């Protein structure tokens, strides 16, 4: 079980905890407070819970664990690995260098 029990405040409204993808890559279900950056594009296997619902959500996720779901979470998280992120960044740099404005 991956837990991301952040308090919602000015700082956390602008962060995306990369541990979300690390937990998913390990096959774990994730329960997190509804951080705007995660809510805007929720990865598969993430469940949102506020302070009143957090513990019940964790208990429910623990009680419903399955190996098949863990494998699916791992598979879907692969697109967010460091290797995939570096490849995306390199591709972006190449695209930027190919634009006419970048050659000036």
């Amino acid at each position: 079980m991956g837990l991301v029990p952040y308090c919602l405040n000015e700082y956390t409204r602008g962060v995306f905890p990369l541990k979300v993808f690390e937990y998913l890559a390990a096959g774990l279900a994730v329960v997190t407070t509804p951080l705007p950056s995660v809510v805007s594009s929720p990865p598969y296997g993430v469940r949102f819970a506020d302070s009143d619902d957090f513990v019940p959500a964790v208990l429910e996720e623990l009680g419903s664990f399955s190996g098949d779901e863990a494998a699916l979470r791992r598979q879907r998280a692969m697109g967010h690995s460091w290797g995939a992120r570096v490849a995306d960044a390199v591709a972006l740099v190449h695209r930027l260098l190919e634009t006419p404005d970048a050659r000036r």
Side-chain angles (χ1 to χ4, degrees), residues 75-98:
Q75 178 186 21
R76 294 206 176 169
M78 290 308 295
H80 301 283
S81 70
W82 284 110
R85 289 180 180 274
V86 168
D88 289 345
V90 168
L92 175 61
V93 168
H94 285 286
R95 282 194 310 273
L96 291 172
L97 291 175
E98 291 172 357

Side-chain angles (χ1 to χ4, degrees), residues 33-59:
T33 49
L35 299 168
S37 61
V38 184
V39 169
S40 68
S41 184
Y44 180 82
V46 172
R47 181 171 178 172
F48 300 103
D50 61 23
S51 59
D52 294 333
D53 300 327
F54 205 88
V55 171
V58 169
L59 294 174

Side-chain angles (χ1 to χ4, degrees), residues 7-30:
C7 291
L8 293 176
N9 58 39
E10 184 81 18
Y11 173 73
T12 60
R13 288 190 205 326
V15 300
F16 186 101
L18 290 177
K19 67 175 83 180
V20 168
F21 290 123
E22 292 167 355
Y23 290 154
L24 294 171
L28 303 176
V30 176

